[in-house]
Amino acid sequence: MLTPAGAFLRCATRPVLTSVFSLPQQLHSSAAAPASMSPSSNAAHGSSSSGTSSSSPYKKVLSKDTINPNVQNVEYAVRGELSNRANEYSDILANGDDNKKKDLPFESVVTANIGNPQQQPNLAQKPITFWRQIASLTEYPALLDDEVLPESVRSKIFPKDAQSRAKALLDDLGSVGAYSHSKGAVTVRKHVAEFIEERDGYPSDPELIYLTSGASGGVALLMQVLIAGPETGILIPIPQYPLYSATLSLYNAHQVEYDLDEKNDWELDIQSMAKAVDEARSKQIDVRALVVINPGNPTGNCLSEDNIRDVLRLAHEKRLVVLADEVYQVNIYQPLERPFVSFKKVLRSFAKSEKPEERVIADDVELISFHSISKGVSGECGRRGGYFELCNISPEVEAQVYKLASVSLCSSIQGQIGIDLLVRPPKEGEESYALYKEETDGIYQTLKSRSEKMQAKFNELPGVVCNEAQGALYLFPRLRLPVEVEQKAKEAGKKIDEYYCLAMLDATGICVVPGSGFGRAPEKAGSSDKDGGKEDDVFCFFRTTTLAKETDAFLDRYGTFHRDFLKKHGRD
Amino acid sequence: MLTPAGAFLRCATRPVLTSVFSLPQQLHSSAAAPASMSPSSNAAHGSSSSGTSSSSPYKKVLSKDTINPNVQNVEYAVRGELSNRANEYSDILANGDDNKKKDLPFESVVTANIGNPQQQPNLAQKPITFWRQIASLTEYPALLDDEVLPESVRSKIFPKDAQSRAKALLDDLGSVGAYSHSKGAVTVRKHVAEFIEERDGYPSDPELIYLTSGASGGVALLMQVLIAGPETGILIPIPQYPLYSATLSLYNAHQVEYDLDEKNDWELDIQSMAKAVDEARSKQIDVRALVVINPGNPTGNCLSEDNIRDVLRLAHEKRLVVLADEVYQVNIYQPLERPFVSFKKVLRSFAKSEKPEERVIADDVELISFHSISKGVSGECGRRGGYFELCNISPEVEAQVYKLASVSLCSSIQGQIGIDLLVRPPKEGEESYALYKEETDGIYQTLKSRSEKMQAKFNELPGVVCNEAQGALYLFPRLRLPVEVEQKAKEAGKKIDEYYCLAMLDATGICVVPGSGFGRAPEKAGSSDKDGGKEDDVFCFFRTTTLAKETDAFLDRYGTFHRDFLKKHGRD
């Protein structure tokens, strides 16, 4: 039996904080674990003043067995054991003593597990100046007061258009410290509707737009409306962003899966979707909606207009609500071959179809589209801004959505202002335009070139195959690993991809997410590949963001790890 | 039959936007309704380009009958028909033509339905300068750069301590545009723990503190963990803030009610709580938690330490998790007689009990405490900042809470910064202290004096009885109305208190919430009251915030309406 050895497994025996995410168990416990890595369940769980709890016969009301079992079933791999361990390493590097630091075979942690572009210090995408100027002015309107900040000084700091924009927002919103309308500020929703109209060439109604806490807030809200009971099924892609599977688990609905085709650039296969619906329905599952993530997370696939048209035809034929997660619509890396086309636009365009029987689709198919300020070139995750638009949803259902939105009062006002800035960027001729364009073009080019470089480099590694990302912020490479690794993983209570990713983190400080966290299970490789390999090899995946500031160093660290890992498992 | 007449009912025949909140039906429809008041279910529901939907045989997937029935059951009176109609009136006053304006017998709308202190233009509580300076600096850190804003100018605008505080927050958080730790930024949670330790004199662990999207975000999260299935019951006060009833409806749990005693300043009666638990359990309801709102919303009651102690004893005896909603802990108007004491403090103090059998309570009873930046003297609702602290929750359950919090990524960073400012105000000797103290003292005194003045004035009105508010931001007066009003209400498809509040809005522009929205149903008055009245009179309630900037005008408008209303219903 091979024994784990070498730097990259040195930490594998340390206890980890939490084992309830998608990774089923911690590796082992060790009495020698540094204090910073002990579970949080310490002193404060018992009052420090009495310490009587151990002798009390009291049985806690809440235990694993008494809480909501659906909560137990939720898996969310993007944050979990790997992410917790990465946090611990960051903490050691930032605050730990030198001995602990020396224990780590890396000098920084790279959180490539989550699309969080502005995260310090290793991603650190710069915020857009125009956005932050307006945020700052709306937070402290005194800065617009000549007596506080003389006009001569102010106009050197804040361009005229930023000032007037901030004033207009304040006139509309009142204070950023007040709740807005439950759907979000009226003016912002009006601007979103104008943006959608301009983007798609079809009308949009501000009353059908809801401003939400990121796109996630909207997804959670609508899933609660859609899921009527345990017989409800929702069709989701595999691999998928685990927000969807987590939400379905939480609300106890069936996850009906359709596979994206890795061999074909992760395209969406309509036949297999139709089959998945029919099969589920034959089992009395009430499949009522389908989720499409476009551009794809984690796949990077960007759907062609034809493909979208087919999805909508299918939705009509099968009577499915379409949930279109379009949060990466600005992150498009092959704009000519694969431009972003919204589901809304394609839906409305059916009205002009040459086939009369298809024209009805435009008004029949119920569509909910999501967008966000967290991704794109703004990357403003921390503001929690997003929106959704309802299309062809009946007024009686819309009224229920509105009511439910009211219970959580409103989304954060700076998130709403972010949406306003997303949909109304500075225009040519305005004072802020040049800098805005320079910054956003720069971010876009950086994201694009990083994605391309990483994809190319991944494909140079033995046993790694990675599709190009046509969009979004991720790569989802496939690994061909020796079956011995699977055996080692099993011994550690892990899936093979989890084991690999933990080893990667321990060796390099790079935190990624195993493919199984996106629903894409490891599988037998079968016949040989570009690099040969053995019949009993295992295929598995991981998702990495393409956000690391020092892409070359990232690729070096990862490449060295991967080659070492293969070597250590008998693959030279 | 009496016909509705007079200014205050002139608008009662207009159609209203939404009838799904707590008010069961709209009054009537009228073809003459102004365009601005037509339902939002217009053109955009059908594509403007085809208009084929009416001829299509397609049956929408989502209808009132197919969506989640629990969503249907949710009632949320704070925003609903009244609030929608108030929005329409505001819109007419702001943007409508002169004829429509003339139709309205008031010149402004006062949104006394929701605790939203900074709402413009009629509440307009000023934000705390120190808070906004820091928000503004953290949004646009260039303001801390000498090349952008020379130190000499900067220090005139931003006090030194605001600058250094902003720098420290930026050092800790990185960018306000990045997601934080799923529980919230580590440093902020550390500061919250220090605040709780100082407030209570007992230890607090940052790992058991979660920063949330207002307190509501935390309540929703924890209810999902607590509610295991339809047999779960949660004890809530009546009257209560409808967030609780709404959440119980949404997650399909039993609402087990305990009455607050109006005749006794809305005190909490332990015997009746115990009885409610026993009765529910005898019906196989798994009562597992109790909600206490302290200070009370809508009642304004502030619990005595003895009362809290009894609640905790009861929780121990009956094995109940305690959810302590303490968002109004700063809004205390009788600080000597009724200071705020936290549940956490009283819980921990059991460890020092003279009765050995009670000492265990300190570590046995599971407690979750909520706080928020939306209320208090900050009133920063729009930032969506809150926190909860877990006490005596088992580590395995805590891990589930953590996982669930991760799915929604994190709360807004400016909300988290707000929490930091809430728990670490400027200290004596620091540059910002004087202004901070002046502003917060001023807000506090204003809130206190408004509450006192309004309560006194309410009691001068015929048929109105109103307890003093010991805390919070509301009054909850009781009305004695002639039975004729109930008849008129019934004809309009309303409860009597809804009818009264709609009439108030139509006549005065003042928007309040009927008592039935808080679970306090109208009831027969029975024997006569301070003002006499008849045997068959009806008692009902409404909640008003005590936030209206122009309190005297508010009281005049309301008083005139109330007297007119009684007169019009045969009570001179």
Side-chain angles (χ1 to χ4, degrees), chain B residues 264-267 294-296 299-305 328-341 444-445 447-449 451-453 455-456 459 466-475:
Chain B
N264 191 18
D265 266 340
W266 298 110
E267 279 284 314
N294 180 45
T299 63
N301 170 269
C302 184
L303 293 179
S304 70
E305 194 166 335
Y328 300 100
Q329 61 188 266
V330 172
N331 303 104
I332 297 296
Y333 305 128
Q334 301 175 357
L336 297 179
E337 307 89 311
R338 281 300 168 97
F340 170 77
V341 187
Y444 170 80
Q445 284 306 334
L447 293 173
K448 184 172 187 295
S449 68
S451 175
E452 286 163 0
K453 182 193 270 183
Q455 187 256 352
N459 281 305
C466 184
N467 282 330
E468 283 180 341
Q470 299 162 340
L473 300 175
Y474 313 98
L475 290 171

Side-chain angles (χ1 to χ4, degrees), chain B residues 187-348:
Chain B
T187 322
V188 178
R189 288 187 283 125
K190 216 176 113 242
H191 294 155
V192 172
E194 288 164 6
F195 159 79
I196 293 173
E197 286 184 9
E198 193 168 328
R199 183 193 66 189
D200 295 342
Y202 295 96
S204 170
D205 179 350
E207 288 306 313
L208 302 176
I209 286 160
Y210 286 69
L211 306 184
T212 54
S213 185
S216 314
V219 170
L221 181 91
L222 289 159
M223 285 292 191
Q224 293 185 71
V225 175
L226 276 164
I227 297 171
E231 70 290 351
T232 299
I234 312 270
L235 202 62
I236 64 169
I238 296 295
Q240 51 99 36
Y241 175 50
L243 167 65
Y244 295 99
S245 49
T247 312
L248 294 180
S249 296
L250 182 60
Y251 301 126
N252 195 25
H254 287 279
Q255 171 171 320
V256 183
E257 305 180 349
Y258 65 94
D259 282 324
L260 301 177
D261 184 3
E262 189 217 353
K263 302 274 154 50
N264 191 18
D265 266 340
W266 298 110
E267 279 284 314
L268 189 155
D269 174 12
I270 302 290
Q271 296 315 316
S272 88
M273 286 174 89
K275 211 176 130 206
V277 176
D278 293 342
E279 274 179 18
R281 285 184 174 164
S282 75
K283 292 176 198 152
Q284 271 64 58
I285 296 171
D286 174 21
V287 188
R288 47 171 61 189
L290 78 86
V291 172
V292 185
I293 311 173
N294 180 45
N297 175 4
T299 63
N301 170 269
C302 184
L303 293 179
S304 70
E305 194 166 335
D306 284 346
N307 217 178
I308 295 173
R309 192 164 285 120
D310 285 341
V311 173
L312 290 168
R313 285 187 183 108
L314 179 80
H316 193 251
E317 186 196 326
K318 302 286 184 193
R319 291 187 63 241
L320 296 167
V321 178
V322 178
L323 303 176
D325 178 338
E326 301 178 331
V327 301
Y328 300 100
Q329 61 188 266
V330 172
N331 303 104
I332 297 296
Y333 305 128
Q334 301 175 357
L336 297 179
E337 307 89 311
R338 281 300 168 97
F340 170 77
V341 187
S342 78
F343 267 78
K344 167 95 183 279
K345 178 176 182 172
V346 180
L347 177 66
R348 291 307 192 207

Side-chain angles (χ1 to χ4, degrees), chain B residues 110-153:
Chain B
V110 184
T111 48
N113 57 317
I114 184 164
N116 188 12
Q118 295 188 27
Q119 186 166 37
Q120 306 280 8
N122 289 310
L123 312 181
Q125 179 178 301
K126 286 220 180 81
I128 300 169
T129 303
F130 184 69
W131 282 50
R132 295 309 194 87
Q133 288 170 335
I134 285 165
S136 144
L137 291 169
T138 50
E139 285 291 351
Y140 193 43
L143 296 173
L144 292 163
D145 181 344
D146 289 346
E147 288 182 24
V148 174
L149 185 61
E151 162 63 25
S152 56
V153 185

Side-chain angles (χ1 to χ4, degrees), chain A residues 83 200 238 244 479 493 561:
Chain A
S83 164
D200 294 342
I238 295 296
Y244 294 99
L479 311 168
F561 156 75

